[in-house]
Amino acid sequence: MKKLSSIVCLLAILLVVLPGPLYKWQLIELSTAFTGIRYGVFAAIAGLILLVVQAGFFRKSTYWPLFAISAVLAIVAVAMPLSIMSKAKSVPPIHDISTDVVTPPEFVAIAKLRADAPNPVEYAGPETAAQQLKAYPDLTTLRFKENTKHVIRVSIDSVKSLGWELVSADIENGIIEATDTTMWFGFKDDVVIRVIAKGDGSELDIRSKSRVGKSDLGKNAERINQFIAQLNTELSQL
């Protein structure tokens, strides 16, 4: 019994954790990855049931350190997907976020990189804008006293500091484009930053869009907030 429960719990955590890297390395399709995670949850539940039976009827032969490790693996295998599901329910099912939802910055250099992406390069539209404004009302155009060239330069530094891949920096037109790759599944989300002159200062808008998926689980809004925090930090140090 103890061997069976440990094997099932180990299988469960592998089915939950490995699909992300396997998809990232292009060894399996996304649908297969999600199927693996679903079966991992089922295996984890089965493993927990076996552990309960083991603790109730085979206490004398139970090796408790292994029992504890198996329980932790099974609990994690259940908790990770449930956490993702909870996050999905707490944010709108959108994947295109912009500080300017009326005239959002447009992708130029990145457009060709998204040619085969399920989510088109065009802005998602008024329905997405309405959901974003309700969920993330704090994401609005940024205004700075510094001139455009200064803000553009610091924005490029911020992009690099965040570890994003800088795709293009059109300083003359005030357009910066970059790609951020998520750690677990390796999803590629694209960012475009637009800086324009406003009086003696400048205005900055940033847009982040996922290449795949209907819902971004709040990742694009989180990414924009990270950039804003990094930009403000670097501007304050100059």
Side-chain angles (χ1 to χ4, degrees), residues 154-231:
V154 178
S155 294
I156 293 173
D157 291 340
S158 297
V159 165
K160 294 178 179 179
S161 295
L162 290 168
W164 302 350
E165 177 188 354
L166 181 63
V167 176
S168 175
D170 186 347
I171 297 176
E172 288 300 319
N173 292 310
I175 299 294
I176 302 166
E177 296 176 82
T179 297
D180 183 25
T181 303
T182 62
M183 184 175 296
W184 185 17
F185 270 80
F187 292 130
K188 291 187 178 296
D189 298 341
D190 297 309
V191 177
V192 55
I193 300 163
R194 179 182 64 203
V195 182
I196 62 173
K198 190 69 173 181
D200 294 331
S202 56
E203 288 186 347
L204 182 148
D205 281 294
I206 174 173
R207 176 184 170 200
S208 181
K209 180 167 186 170
S210 305
R211 294 190 189 182
V212 299
K214 181 178 179 181
S215 174
D216 63 6
L217 303 180
K219 184 62 179 180
N220 286 301
E222 178 184 324
R223 181 178 295 109
I224 289 176
N225 280 319
Q226 288 176 340
F227 172 81
I228 293 172
Q230 184 66 34
L231 179 63

Side-chain angles (χ1 to χ4, degrees), residues 144-158 161 230-238:
F144 301 100
K145 62 181 180 180
E146 293 85 358
N147 62 52
T148 56
K149 288 188 176 180
H150 181 73
V151 173
I152 291 171
R153 187 177 73 253
V154 178
S155 294
I156 293 173
D157 291 340
S158 297
S161 295
Q230 184 66 34
L231 179 63
N232 286 330
T233 297
E234 298 205 14
L235 281 172
S236 67
Q237 293 175 349
L238 297 176

Side-chain angles (χ1 to χ4, degrees), residues 10 23 30-32 34 38 43 45 60 86 94-95 98 102 119 121 130 142 160 171 177 191 203 213 226:
L10 177 60
Y23 171 77
L30 186 59
S31 59
T32 303
F34 288 152
R38 183 167 64 252
I45 294 173
K60 292 183 179 180
S86 176
I94 56 179
H95 56 261
S98 175
V102 178
N119 295 334
V121 70
L142 305 175
K160 294 178 179 179
I171 297 176
E177 296 176 82
V191 177
E203 288 186 347
Q226 288 176 340

